[in-house]
């Protein structure tokens, strides 16, 4: 029996299980209508087997940079109901930053600043537009997507400064966005989660307050620290082992490529602004949602980060999506887990605002 996206998403909302990793409680989202199965979600398996570029599923090298940037991968759909988008250029000290604004209306709303992934080197806002629209709708917020400067032309900390500067611009010009600057949250996918944590750390010295952070399959450690605890035996390889191993090893080996592009000094990988997992004091972080994928290399460090937040008594909600790979949130409208993850981030954000 085939199911519609609506039925699959509803099933994810209705069925969750819980597991514990030491003190961390993980909310598990099983494969809808196949809750007892193992291995890859059938939609992920079909994509990796039949649609994914086999040449792209290997560790990245410097010669891949322009090829990857030119690749158009709009494998998602607009699930929002008429959410309006606008473009805006804002001034920085010696350049401008392009913003994409979603859901700005005459009604003043909270604001979520969205920081896209793409390894610090890809321009991903086109890919993430439909995700931002759906997030704006579900969170009843204005979402501002940031086109930060990219490595290697602009290495650490240029892109991070653009993200921080965007929050500063919103705070100083709320009338342009019609937002409540007492309700600023950050959401990021992959390296966007890394940038969100960096923006929060730098915001501690600013006038505004970040009230919430949502991270989707985040990269929280660019050093080798968490890789010392990583082991392929942490993953259930009883089914689809070859495809899963290829995904895990490709991501693991590509982190060296990302290090080389993003950092002019490799010693910077140990800085908390680069590897937030190493941030000593996490007690000042706001309520946080962390979404992980079962077959993502970054899952282990995401779980470690959540455990650190728990230890620091930061309210953290940690989800693991069974059968999913790293970039599943990009497949909105094809993978029901993408819509569900955005709904969970939005729900937590709204609960934080109500408190």
């Amino acid at each position: 029996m085939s199911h519609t996206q609506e039925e699959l998403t509803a099933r994810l909302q209705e069925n969750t299980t819980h597991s514990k990793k030491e003190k961390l409680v993980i909310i598990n989202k099983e494969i809808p209508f196949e809750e007892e199965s193992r291995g890859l979600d059938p939609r992920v398996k079909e994509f990796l087997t039949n649609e994914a570029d086999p040449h792209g599923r290997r560790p990245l090298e410097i010669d891949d940079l322009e090829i990857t940037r030119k690749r158009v991968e709009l494998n998602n759909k607009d699930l929002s109901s008429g959410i309006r988008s606008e473009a805006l250029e804002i001034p920085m000290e010696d350049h401008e930053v392009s913003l994409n604004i979603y859901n700005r209306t005459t009604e003043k709303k909270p604001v979520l600043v969205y920081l896209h992934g793409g390894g610090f080197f890809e321009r991903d806002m086109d890919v993430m537009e439909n995700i931002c629209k759906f997030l704006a709708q579900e969170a009843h917020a204005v979402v501002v997507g940031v086109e930060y400067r990219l490595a290697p032309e602009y290495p650490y900390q240029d892109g991070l400064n653009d993200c921080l500067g965007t929050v500063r611009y919103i705070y100083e010009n709320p009338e342009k966005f019609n937002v409540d600057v007492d309700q600023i949250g950050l959401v990021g996918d992959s390296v966007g989660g890394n940038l969100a944590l960096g923006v929060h750390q730098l915001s501690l010295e600013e006038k505004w307050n970040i009230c919430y952070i949502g991270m989707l399959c985040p990269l929280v450690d660019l050093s080798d620290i968490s890789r010392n605890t990583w082991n392929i035996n942490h993953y259930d390889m009883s089914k689809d082992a070859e495809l899963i191993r290829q995904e895990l090893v490709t991501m693991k080996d590509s982190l060296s490529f990302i290090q080389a592009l993003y950092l002019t000094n490799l010693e910077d990988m140990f800085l908390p602004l680069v590897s937030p997992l190493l941030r000593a004091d996490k007690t000042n972080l706001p309520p946080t949602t962390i979404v992980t994928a079962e077959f993502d290399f970054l899952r282990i460090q995401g779980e470690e980060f959540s455990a650190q937040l728990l230890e620091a008594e930061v309210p953290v909600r940690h989800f693991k999506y069974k059968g999913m790979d790293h970039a599943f949130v990009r497949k909105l409208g094809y993978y029901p887990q993408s819509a569900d993850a955005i709904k969970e981030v939005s729900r937590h954000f709204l609960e934080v605002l109500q408190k």
Side-chain angles (χ1 to χ4, degrees), residues 200-201 204 209-210 213 279-288 309 312-314:
H200 174 266
Q201 183 176 335
L204 295 174
N209 178 56
I210 302 298
I213 297 177
R279 181 169 161 180
D281 183 6
K282 295 181 173 67
T283 58
N284 48 27
L285 278 155
T288 299
L309 293 183
E313 298 185 348
V314 174

Side-chain angles (χ1 to χ4, degrees), residues 255-310:
L255 286 184
S256 296
F257 170 76
I258 294 173
Q259 284 177 345
L261 284 185
Y262 188 51
L263 304 175
T264 53
N265 179 2
L266 284 180
E267 286 299 309
D268 288 345
M269 74 173 74
F270 300 107
L271 295 174
L273 287 175
V274 175
S275 295
L277 188 73
L278 307 183
R279 181 169 161 180
D281 183 6
K282 295 181 173 67
T283 58
N284 48 27
L285 278 155
T288 299
T289 307
I290 296 183
V291 169
T292 59
E294 182 180 12
F295 299 115
D296 180 8
F297 170 76
L298 301 182
R299 173 171 67 82
I300 306 303
Q301 58 176 259
E303 291 171 352
E304 191 172 344
F305 193 83
S306 285
Q308 290 181 353
L309 293 183
L310 187 66

Side-chain angles (χ1 to χ4, degrees), residues 208-219:
W208 60 83
N209 178 56
I210 302 298
C211 70
Y212 170 82
I213 297 177
M215 295 185 285
L216 304 155
C217 298
L219 171 66

